[in-house]
Amino acid sequence: MERKNAWSKYAKDASQVMAFAEGYKRFLSDCKTERECVDFFIAKAKDAGYVSLDEIIAKGGKLKAGDRIYQSNKGKSFALFNIGKAPLEEGINILGAHIDSPRLDIKQNPVYEDTDQALLDTHYYGGVKKYQWVTIPLALHGVVAKKDGTVLKINIGEDETDPVFCISDLLIHLSSDQLEKKGAKVVEGEDLNVLCGNMPVFDKDNEKEKEAVKTNVLRLIKDKYDFDEEDFLSAEIEVVPAGEARDLGFDRSMILGYGHDDRVCAYPSFMALLETTEVLNKTACALLVDKEEIGSVGASGMQSLFYENVVAELIELQGEYSEIKRRRTMTNSSVLSSDVSAAFDPNYSNVFEKNNSAYMGRGLVFNKYTGARGKSGSNDASAEYMAKIRKIMDDANVCFQTAELGKVDAGGGGTIAYILGNYNMEVIDAGVAVLSMHAPCEIISKVDLYEALLGYKAFIKNA
């Protein structure tokens, strides 16, 4: 059962598709960390008239239909709500996505010198092919928290006047042994050291000091960015590919950039609520979380109590809170776990099963189940919920397709779906097909991005 190419809807006029993609490209280029994503969401939400939940609580306010609320969690995860007419106990229509992406993290004691080179030691985050991260321009994004309470924002390598950084690779002339290794071992995790300096400092007699290159780098960091070596102990600095997202192809139909997984779902989820100005029947939520790439753990991950606590606060603001109201709200909610799917790649067709693959350009992708080895770790949506979603999409003329993550036993993966399913919610994975998933630069089709927006809007209005 082949699904039609979504571009056919826009054969006469694709201007809306292209315009939405421009906004997304700007977001993808500017927001390469979860903190930067949350800063973006807060600024956009405020401009659109959303009010902080904390502000409402502080003023002793109450919620009513039509209110637009946001809440940040430690600057790394975020929830946006359009309050509907129905009581919260009837459930919330949730668009859940994640805003963390595979990357390298600077260690807490990172700066060292070896043979007149200054380097930064890293620990990779999420599932990466380590060999893909060598010899490409890299940037440093993050924060440095100082003991006096100051938090410095770091963004080095994106402005055209900035330096960039790099991880070296072994030259082909000396690579005979390296090329015999398996792909997982060609570059080891402890070899992902970021080159950051080569110029030493000298004493007054022009003698090179001990660890003179490292000393010079630390002096430059202090002079330009105002933090010391010890401040790395309380820093969160991420190493990401430098440069902007770009149009791909003669037809400019695709986008090449870092972090499509999962910002290509997070952005249209956020925009679906922002662009829905009418008062909905049921409350809608865009829930955009951290740490999915490492198991949704920690205080900013989906396994935390953040969302549950926010729901409790909303119930309190609508009237008298009770535990049973919170439980009813959770169990009566419906969710699109908005995460990316593996796009069929003709260069690697042996790991895909064509009849059950996602294809670029054929619209929003629904994965009834993900997981691995017999659906392990999967949510596996019910047939009834799948039928409901099909009707919503067809009624709204949304191009969609269904898929699995490659051939059975070829691999596998998971999303936040099962965590929300633990609350007895109806959940299905729904996202955009991505080529080169988890690589430093990934590829999506602009029409799939736009169909995701339309699908998410249809869901929050009709689920």
Side-chain angles (χ1 to χ4, degrees):
M1 181 170 49
E2 188 169 321
R3 309 299 291 186
K4 70 178 182 180
N5 189 298
W7 284 108
S8 63
K9 283 176 60 176
Y10 307 99
K12 293 183 179 179
D13 183 8
S15 58
Q16 289 180 305
V17 175
M18 296 303 186
F20 188 70
E22 288 304 305
Y24 171 64
K25 281 196 305 179
R26 185 74 269 141
F27 166 75
L28 199 66
S29 299
D30 292 343
C31 302
K32 295 187 177 181
T33 71
E34 59 282 4
R35 289 178 183 270
E36 289 169 344
C37 288
V38 170
D39 287 346
F40 172 91
F41 294 142
I42 290 174
K44 286 287 187 183
K46 285 182 175 179
D47 287 345
Y50 286 78
V51 180
S52 164
L53 178 61
D54 288 336
E55 182 180 334
I56 295 173
I57 293 170
K59 291 181 177 179
K62 294 293 182 181
L63 288 186
K64 63 183 184 304
D67 284 348
R68 291 150 76 87
I69 311 297
Y70 75 86
Q71 183 71 341
S72 168
N73 179 28
K74 298 173 174 56
K76 297 182 185 180
S77 54
F78 181 83
L80 193 75
F81 294 88
N82 290 10
I83 304 301
K85 301 171 187 174
L88 288 168
E89 293 169 75
E90 293 186 17
I92 298 171
N93 292 334
I94 303 168
L95 300 170
H98 67 91
I99 51 177
D100 60 316
S101 294
R103 61 177 189 260
L104 309 179
D105 285 341
I106 297 295
K107 291 185 178 181
Q108 289 182 287
N109 187 23
V111 190
Y112 70 98
E113 180 174 334
D114 192 337
T115 56
D116 293 338
Q117 295 180 36
L119 300 112
L120 298 172
D121 208 355
T122 71
H123 194 132
Y124 65 94
Y125 173 98
V128 300
K129 292 180 177 178
K130 295 181 278 291
Y131 63 80
Q132 293 179 328
W133 286 79
V134 300
T135 74
I136 62 173
L138 299 170
L140 306 181
H141 290 231
V143 297
V144 177
K146 302 173 78 170
K147 290 191 293 185
D148 65 1
T150 304
V151 178
L152 306 175
K153 291 185 178 181
I154 303 298
N155 186 325
I156 311 169
E158 301 296 350
D159 190 275
E160 63 181 12
T161 63
D162 284 346
V164 294
F165 306 89
C166 190
I167 299 168
S168 63
D169 193 15
L170 185 61
L171 65 163
I172 187 66
H173 310 74
L174 300 177
S175 296
S176 57
D177 288 343
Q178 183 194 44
L179 294 175
E180 294 298 319
K181 296 180 180 180
K182 292 183 177 180
K185 298 292 184 181
V186 169
V187 176
E188 301 274 9
E190 285 292 355
D191 295 333
L192 295 171
N193 305 308
V194 176
L195 187 60
C196 65
N198 179 234
M199 184 186 296
V201 293
F202 297 89
D203 65 16
K204 62 182 179 180
D205 298 319
N206 219 32
E207 292 291 325
K208 190 166 83 98
E209 296 182 7
K210 183 180 179 182
E211 293 195 313
V213 179
K214 172 183 174 180
T215 299
N216 191 42
V217 163
L218 291 173
R219 286 182 183 178
L220 291 169
I221 288 173
K222 178 63 176 176
D223 290 345
K224 186 166 180 63
Y225 306 108
D226 192 30
F227 68 94
D228 300 309
E229 181 177 16
E230 191 172 275
D231 291 322
F232 279 107
L233 293 175
S234 52
E236 292 179 0
I237 301 177
E238 302 175 13
V239 182
V240 298
E244 298 195 344
R246 301 286 298 275
D247 284 347
L248 177 63
F250 290 117
D251 55 6
R252 297 181 177 269
S253 63
M254 297 166 285
I255 300 172
L256 176 72
Y258 167 69
H260 285 312
D261 181 8
D262 183 36
R263 293 167 193 143
V264 72
C265 297
Y267 181 80
S269 294
F270 175 81
M271 294 303 294
L273 266 72
L274 212 69
E275 294 181 5
T276 301
T277 55
E278 69 267 33
V279 180
L280 300 168
N281 181 44
K282 291 177 70 172
T283 295
C285 172
L287 179 58
L288 310 171
V289 296
D290 184 24
K291 297 292 191 290
E292 190 275 343
E293 297 293 358
I294 58 170
S296 297
V297 294
S300 55
M302 191 63 242
Q303 295 196 58
S304 79
L305 293 177
F306 165 63
Y307 179 71
E308 194 173 342
N309 290 343
V310 170
V311 168
E313 295 285 4
L314 293 179
I315 295 170
E316 175 68 16
L317 291 173
Q318 272 202 337
E320 186 177 344
Y321 173 82
S322 71
E323 177 69 6
I324 194 61
K325 286 183 180 181
R326 182 191 61 79
R327 288 177 178 269
R328 287 172 181 163
T329 301
M330 301 297 278
T331 198
N332 289 330
S333 294
S334 298
V335 187
L336 294 188
S337 173
S338 303
D339 209 339
V340 297
S341 290
F344 181 86
D345 191 333
N347 290 322
Y348 304 99
S349 60
N350 61 305
V351 296
F352 293 92
E353 192 265 287
K354 282 193 170 183
N355 289 334
N356 289 284
S357 291
Y359 293 88
M360 288 180 62
R362 297 189 188 176
L364 182 60
V365 185
F366 290 97
N367 291 77
K368 186 177 185 297
Y369 46 81
T370 53
R373 298 176 304 281
K375 302 184 182 180
S376 176
S378 173
N379 168 67
D380 206 348
S382 70
E384 293 85 351
Y385 190 51
M386 184 73 223
K388 179 180 180 179
I389 295 299
R390 286 174 56 204
K391 178 172 171 48
I392 290 171
M393 297 301 137
D394 284 341
D395 288 350
N397 192 30
V398 174
C399 290
F400 74 93
Q401 53 186 317
T402 61
E404 297 180 12
L405 189 61
K407 282 184 176 178
V408 174
D409 288 338
T415 68
I416 65 171
Y418 77 96
I419 302 168
L420 291 160
N422 288 341
Y423 289 103
N424 202 26
M425 297 180 188
E426 292 277 24
V427 187
I428 191 169
D429 285 297
V432 173
V434 175
L435 282 174
S436 306
M437 191 190 300
H438 281 215
C441 285
E442 302 166 314
I443 302 163
I444 62 103
S445 174
K446 292 179 179 179
V447 76
D448 295 337
L449 169 70
Y450 193 67
E451 290 300 307
L453 173 70
L454 299 183
Y456 295 164
K457 283 183 174 180
F459 172 80
I460 61 174
K461 292 176 182 178
N462 300 302

